[in-house]
Amino acid sequence: MKKTTKLKSLLHSQKLEFLMEAHNGLSAKIVEEAGFKGIWASGLSISASMGIRDSNEASWTQVLNILEFMSDATTIPILLDGDTGYGNFNNARRLVKKLEQLDIAGVCIEDKLFPKTNSFINGQAHPLASIEEFCGKIKAMKDCQVDDDFMVVARVEAFIAGWGLEEVLTRAEAYRKAGADAVLIHSKKTHFKEIEAFMKKWNSRSPVVIVPTKYYTTPTSEFRKLGINTVIWANHNLRASITAMQNISKQIQKEETLIQVEDSIASVNEIFRLQNVEELQRAEKKYLPSTTNLIQPDKE
């Protein structure tokens, strides 16, 4: 099954499905090995792994470079956090073209203005694009895709920007009519009430994706009761790796020895396994001549 078809199946599943964050080829492979059916290529995590802010400071081609490694390393579908589509409708439809070439299964775009501001940064304005402009962007993306199963997810940021339920519903419906394959309803509240209110009014018009980073104490059973299709665990591999690297760096700096840390971290052999070094070794035996057959230099 194509990766695009796999993602389409996840978004339309009658049972709750999950996407796990990854930000490079290694973390993507770890996500697949953990048993997840799909990957969220987080804009926050990718930018943070590059040491820059989540404000479109990385060019979209730099993001594509990372996505290529993620796609090559895995067999499960990747949904890209595509911010605002990196510009207007023309930038967004070119993005779709390049994503399809890399075997990325779909992209999620949000209805903010370029450059975007991360939704969880307090005290920052979150201006929204007009409904008409964003609908045109969605239409352009859907019109240019070659694979019918490539997914375009419309992320509604009206709750984030301080608007009420009616604006969220109006935007979600407009985006659905424009061709979005699913809507992602975002909230930064620590409770589930905004999402719950939306779901009760939405009536399953199209698949719904959520990101419960802030309302993480809500039982997953509540998501199932309301008929949510997909949950994204949006940044937790990055956050876990930051904690681990901070702790091990501090410990080694303090102790000036590896004696106490070596058994608590992944072995070098585990790195080799994740890199699939064994496949290269098998290929070398198959394709390289034996050392006895190598041409030797003339001896005078």
Side-chain angles (χ1 to χ4, degrees), residues 124-248:
Q124 297 291 323
H126 297 279
L128 302 182
S130 71
I131 293 176
E132 293 76 14
E133 189 270 338
F134 197 70
C135 285
K137 188 178 293 185
I138 293 170
K139 290 175 183 177
M141 296 170 78
K142 295 302 295 181
D143 283 347
C144 78
Q145 69 185 62
V146 175
D147 186 337
D148 290 339
D149 288 344
F150 182 88
M151 296 285 101
V152 174
V153 178
R155 173 166 150 177
V156 183
E157 290 282 295
F159 281 144
I160 299 294
W163 293 84
L165 177 60
E166 289 306 313
E167 181 70 15
V168 175
L169 288 165
T170 297
R171 285 176 174 267
E173 177 63 8
Y175 303 160
R176 182 190 70 83
K177 289 182 177 179
D181 298 292
V183 291
L184 189 159
I185 306 301
H186 209 16
S187 173
K188 61 181 177 181
K189 301 291 187 183
T190 57
H191 54 73
F192 186 54
K193 293 179 181 178
E194 288 183 333
I195 305 298
E196 184 178 29
F198 173 84
M199 291 302 297
K200 289 179 177 179
K201 292 283 189 178
W202 186 242
N203 294 321
S204 302
R205 294 177 226 175
S206 70
V208 175
V209 182
I210 63 169
V211 184
T213 303
K214 289 293 186 179
Y215 48 94
Y216 62 89
T217 58
T218 305
T220 303
S221 59
E222 293 299 312
F223 306 153
R224 290 190 171 95
K225 287 178 184 177
L226 288 170
I228 289 167
N229 300 85
T230 306
V231 170
I232 294 174
W233 309 122
N235 46 49
H236 296 79
N237 272 325
L238 174 81
R239 289 161 62 188
S241 66
I242 288 173
T243 300
M245 288 189 290
Q246 287 174 331
N247 289 341
I248 204 71

